[in-house]
Amino acid sequence: MSEQQNKNQNNNNNFFNQNPLITFAIFSVAMIVIFKLLVGEGGGSSSVLGNSSQVQQVSYSEFKSLVEAKDVSKVEIGQSYIRAQSADGSKLYTTRIVQGDNKLVELLDKNHIEYSGFSESNWFTEMFGWLFPFLLILGIWMLFASRMQKSMGGGILGMGGSKKLVNSEKPDTKFDDVAGVEEAKEEVQEIVDFLKYPGRYVEIGAKIPKGVLLVGSPGTGKTLLAKAVAGEAEVPFFSVSGSSFIEMFVGVGAARVRDLFEQAKKDAPSIIFIDEIDAIGKSRAAGNMMGGNDEREQTLNQLLAEMDGFGTDTPVIILAATNRPEILDQALLRPGRFDRQVLVDKPDFEGRVKILKVHVKNVKIDDDVDIKEVARLTAGLAGADLANVVNEAALLAGRKNQKTVKQQDLFESVERALAGLAKKSRRINPKEKKIVAYHESGHALLAETTVGAKKVSKVSIVPRGLAALGYTLNKPEEDKFMMQRHELWAEVDVLLGGRAAEEVFIGEISTGAGNDLERATDIIKSMVQTYGMSDIAGLMVLEKSRQSFLGPTGGAPREYSDKMAEDMDNFIKQSLQEHYEAVVARLEEYRDAIEDMVALLYKKENITGEEVREIIKDFEERNGMESKVVQEVETIEDELKQDATMNKKEDEDARE
Ligand code: ADP
Ligand code: ZN
């Protein structure tokens, strides 16, 4: 078929796919027309009677008198009616048979009129009568099907339809493209090996895992890692999303799973990747208040059946991704199914450096760019966020008509990622601006003058996003996996600094501190409940650390006395009060420093951590105070050196 023809046909297909209603209308009209043509008036069978132009309906008695008058030449007798040609051939009479009259034949014989019988229906009309309603129903069904198909973005018509939702590719992603998740890579390395040389493992009789669950927050590179496994092993990669299985006709999801496995087995060795597996694999026990979801359950059962259905010698590996492994149905996690979990965690400092390096490869980077600095500022961001930071920076550079991406662009992009899009156009009224300036300066002062608090990297009164009117950006020197007690208290002080500044300098408090107070309260509460850092509960843990790395899970009833609860509430309230008073005292001590900060903020809207520290030090010098500004550890290398000397000292101590 020529390309042109091909194109035309595609166009046709598109037209009918896109206009199911019109298609159906045309279809119905055509059916009716055909039906009418074939089963026209006077019956449809071939007739010995000529094509008389005029058809005349007559009564039975009239017909009989016509016969007696020999006004008819040929007669045909059917089951329910009779037709006859007039003697001159100009007319065709038809009449209904009157039941019980069995003398008609006699009458015809007597008048020597030629007669014959005929069957009113033939194979065609009979089949049509049977086929028509069927085709009608089929048409209606197709109409609905195509509508569903459109709304779901995929097909429902068995095999053909399901292929659209299963993406099959042979990715050229390699492990080098996935950075900062070294442990996860090591764990899946074995799978690559198995897919590459299945024979080796099968011969020895080793059981290779069938299913591996990739667990981690969104954007940490689970999909990327799965693709890299396929890319490294050079095998086909079939991917589906768990959520695409639901919201469909019952049975379709299960059919799709069957189809998916069929394709994957046919192309083995291969990889099946199921994103968001929690959408189908949610625990059946867990809250199904609104009645069961049959579709999901059928799909899940089909998935389990398929996984059990092929032996460990079939080199098909199923990788699935979720960020909520705790809600998965236990059946999924049994041996022989997803019995392995690989954690794909948010990257640490080194990891972020590596991920950023992967992504800056794709853009033109200026020589002044310090990736480590960017990595330092982006603690808590996942790989996808970092990829976005680099891309945003490139867009910014492009907008400024630069040839390369500069450090400044990356900084701006990081800020956006961290605090939402800059809304420079949004005007805040002068009163709000004043409140925000003092509030943020309060945070900043406490952050710089409290031992254990995180350093300030930037204070801003430019509103970002919808929630934050201003913000103080803290600069964690490195990722913290652990916090000491004094650091937690320091954080409480910094949080209270905003509210206290409003009270001290404005004389009135606003709603702007709501979130700060909530966080401060939570910190103290977990010190009591979880970390054994108070006299109230001592070492007793009141609240098990249910805060899994993937976020909190449901609430269990509390397991301690009312007295304990009351003591804890009092402790939290009292500590907040005490710390608040201390913070107020500090702010009063540093009054002019705050005023200087506010003045500079008014002028520049954004001030850096260095500027904050300079203002504080100036103030302290002017007043002959001993500096409270906490010296920061300059680099990670310094800290490592410190560690090394400590270790050496410990070794020496041990030898003595
Ligand atoms: P997930 O599946 O965990 O939600 P993805 O794999 O879809 O995350 O990540 C989206 C994009 O973010 C990737 O295509 C890649 O560009 C980037 N990315 C995420 N994690 C990493 C990583 N560890 N290394 C490099 N790039 C990453
Ligand atoms: Zn605040």
Side-chain angles (χ1 to χ4, degrees):
M1 199 188 284
S2 80
E3 234 180 82
Q4 188 57 42
Q5 273 173 307
N6 233 329
K7 218 170 149 194
N8 283 341
Q9 208 185 29
N10 282 345
N11 282 346
N12 283 345
N13 279 344
N14 284 346
F15 175 79
F16 288 117
N17 281 342
Q18 278 158 21
N19 303 286
L21 249 171
I22 296 174
T23 312
F24 181 57
I26 293 171
F27 174 81
S28 310
V29 169
M31 295 306 276
I32 291 164
V33 168
I34 291 167
F35 192 72
K36 277 280 168 210
L37 278 177
L38 291 174
V39 197
E41 219 166 330
S45 80
S46 52
S47 171
V48 291
L49 305 179
N51 267 338
S52 318
S53 54
Q54 209 187 345
V55 177
Q56 193 182 344
Q57 281 239 288
V58 293
S59 70
Y60 191 62
S61 55
E62 257 179 289
F63 173 70
K64 273 165 88 172
S65 41
L66 282 170
V67 171
E68 274 160 4
K70 294 212 171 80
D71 201 8
V72 289
S73 55
K74 290 174 192 161
V75 174
E76 287 182 342
I77 304 166
Q79 283 96 44
S80 60
Y81 69 95
I82 299 168
R83 53 194 185 197
Q85 203 168 35
S86 60
D88 58 359
S90 67
K91 276 190 222 159
L92 185 70
Y93 301 111
T94 64
T95 186
R96 295 218 137 254
I97 287 176
V98 173
Q99 300 298 324
D101 177 27
N102 38 26
K103 297 219 177 80
L104 182 62
V105 176
E106 246 172 66
L107 185 69
L108 289 171
D109 280 340
K110 210 174 85 192
N111 290 291
H112 304 288
I113 292 170
E114 187 188 336
Y115 62 94
S116 58
F118 80 97
S119 161
E120 281 171 26
S121 60
N122 60 13
W123 67 270
F124 211 95
T125 52
E126 215 156 74
M127 202 179 73
F128 235 84
W130 175 84
L131 213 60
F132 187 70
F134 175 76
L135 288 175
L136 197 73
I137 289 165
L138 186 79
I140 292 171
W141 185 77
M142 268 165 55
L143 172 73
F144 276 97
S146 64
R147 290 200 147 181
M148 286 293 271
Q149 193 170 357
K150 251 211 294 200
S151 69
M152 293 182 310
I156 66 153
L157 300 171
M159 302 272 285
S162 63
K163 267 173 198 139
K164 284 183 200 145
L165 281 161
V166 178
N167 288 316
S168 165
E169 55 178 316
K170 250 190 151 169
D172 42 17
T173 312
K174 291 276 154 35
F175 276 152
D176 281 345
D177 300 322
V178 196
V181 285
E182 306 308 324
E183 281 143 59
K185 275 199 264 182
E186 248 163 57
E187 291 201 51
V188 293
Q189 177 63 52
E190 176 183 59
I191 294 169
V192 174
D193 223 46
F194 172 65
L195 291 169
K196 256 186 163 164
Y197 316 105
R200 283 188 200 167
Y201 292 85
V202 172
E203 266 162 40
I204 290 185
K207 279 205 178 74
I208 269 289
K210 271 186 205 169
V212 177
L213 199 58
L214 304 174
V215 177
S217 319
T220 46
K222 298 181 290 295
T223 312
L224 194 65
L225 183 65
K227 264 192 197 164
V229 172
E232 289 281 342
E234 292 169 3
V235 301
F237 180 76
F238 297 91
S239 70
V240 290
S241 169
S243 58
S244 73
F245 283 117
I246 44 180
E247 292 168 20
M248 284 201 298
F249 289 154
V250 170
V252 175
R256 175 104 46 76
V257 169
R258 209 177 308 127
D259 194 31
L260 170 66
F261 274 77
E262 217 160 82
Q263 287 184 49
K265 278 189 274 189
K266 206 176 71 210
D267 288 358
S270 61
I271 282 188
I272 293 176
F273 177 66
I274 307 174
D275 203 0
E276 299 174 65
I277 194 169
D278 34 294
I280 39 172
K282 238 180 282 177
S283 167
R284 280 171 282 201
N288 237 336
M289 299 306 198
M290 312 296 285
N293 182 340
D294 278 352
E295 177 54 15
R296 209 196 66 226
E297 200 150 307
Q298 277 198 21
T299 309
L300 175 59
N301 286 335
Q302 187 64 38
L303 177 63
L304 296 176
E306 291 290 347
M307 286 189 83
D308 296 341
F310 64 90
T312 43
D313 53 346
T314 308
V316 174
I317 304 269
I318 304 120
L319 299 174
T322 181
N323 63 340
R324 300 189 299 174
E326 71 282 351
I327 67 162
L328 289 184
D329 199 300
Q330 283 306 307
L332 265 175
L333 308 176
R334 271 194 216 120
R337 295 168 184 170
F338 293 100
D339 49 4
R340 275 211 195 177
Q341 297 198 6
V342 171
L343 183 61
V344 187
D345 217 353
K346 281 196 179 165
D348 59 4
F349 172 74
E350 285 300 324
R352 290 198 302 277
V353 172
K354 285 182 191 155
I355 294 173
L356 285 166
K357 279 187 178 155
V358 166
H359 290 284
V360 296
K361 259 187 223 150
N362 306 325
V363 297
K364 286 209 178 71
I365 280 284
D366 201 80
D367 291 338
D368 80 330
V369 167
D370 181 1
I371 294 290
K372 281 194 177 159
E373 189 58 33
V374 179
R376 216 162 275 148
L377 286 169
T378 46
L381 294 195
D385 304 323
L386 294 172
N388 204 35
V389 161
V390 173
N391 189 49
E392 277 283 313
L395 289 174
L396 278 171
R399 210 173 302 150
K400 293 187 216 155
N401 209 5
Q402 290 166 200
K403 290 259 177 324
T404 54
V405 175
K406 299 214 164 72
Q407 186 80 341
Q408 185 56 34
D409 305 318
L410 283 163
F411 281 161
E412 273 178 47
S413 172
V414 166
E415 262 170 44
R416 287 187 186 198
L418 289 181
L421 219 65
K423 287 206 171 171
K424 293 209 167 155
S425 56
R426 183 179 154 184
R427 305 209 64 85
I428 51 168
N429 68 48
K431 200 168 128 200
E432 273 177 356
K433 188 170 166 186
K434 188 176 166 192
I435 296 173
V436 173
Y438 279 106
H439 180 106
E440 299 304 333
S441 300
H443 282 314
L445 182 94
L446 266 296
E448 290 301 330
T449 59
T450 308
V451 177
K454 292 178 198 138
K455 304 281 98 192
V456 173
S457 78
K458 175 171 180 172
V459 184
S460 171
I461 57 169
V462 179
R464 311 251 145 178
L466 288 175
L469 287 173
Y471 62 89
T472 303
L473 216 57
N474 290 318
K475 177 180 178 181
E477 266 78 40
E478 62 180 300
D479 300 287
K480 282 200 180 293
F481 294 109
M482 192 169 74
M483 280 178 92
Q484 289 178 313
R485 179 157 62 176
H486 77 277
E487 289 171 332
L488 290 171
W489 282 123
E491 195 159 335
V492 170
D493 287 352
V494 173
L495 286 167
L496 293 174
R499 155 86 168 224
E502 287 181 38
E503 194 179 325
V504 171
F505 294 91
I506 310 222
E508 169 67 310
I509 45 187
S510 74
T511 55
N515 185 248
D516 295 341
L517 298 180
E518 193 181 320
R519 278 164 62 200
T521 307
D522 282 348
I523 290 172
I524 305 178
K525 196 183 252 170
S526 52
M527 285 168 81
V528 178
Q529 288 186 322
T530 314
Y531 302 121
M533 288 180 179
S534 75
D535 295 336
I536 304 301
L539 296 176
M540 180 177 166
V541 170
L542 306 183
E543 190 88 333
K544 281 188 209 86
S545 177
R546 283 184 289 118
Q547 196 89 3
S548 74
F549 63 92
L550 297 161
T553 51
R558 77 167 197 236
E559 294 169 353
Y560 47 90
S561 67
D562 289 350
K563 170 84 170 49
M564 184 72 89
E566 200 185 322
D567 286 352
M568 181 171 75
D569 289 347
N570 285 331
F571 175 77
I572 293 171
K573 197 173 149 199
Q574 207 183 327
S575 324
L576 281 170
Q577 190 57 36
E578 279 167 19
H579 278 258
Y580 187 70
E581 279 162 20
V583 167
V584 167
R586 171 84 46 82
L587 289 173
E588 278 172 342
E589 193 185 354
Y590 280 82
R591 234 172 214 288
D592 286 348
I594 295 273
E595 297 288 5
D596 289 348
M597 264 186 244
V598 169
L600 195 58
L601 267 175
Y602 259 73
K603 209 169 91 189
K604 295 176 60 181
E605 296 206 331
N606 293 325
I607 58 177
T608 64
E610 272 82 62
E611 285 170 319
V612 170
R613 285 184 279 278
E614 222 160 88
I615 288 173
I616 298 173
K617 279 183 185 158
D618 272 358
F619 169 83
E620 288 170 334
E621 264 169 40
R622 279 207 306 271
N623 291 280
M625 293 160 64
E626 198 179 311
S627 179
K628 284 201 179 71
V629 176
V630 185
Q631 280 304 315
E632 63 178 313
V633 184
E634 275 306 321
T635 60
I636 291 169
E637 285 78 48
D638 285 352
E639 208 169 297
L640 288 175
K641 258 181 238 157
Q642 254 182 27
D643 275 2
T645 37
M646 291 270 275
N647 287 340
K648 218 165 116 193
K649 201 164 155 279
E650 270 170 28
D651 285 350
E652 278 162 13
D653 289 350
R655 241 174 271 141
E656 275 167 16

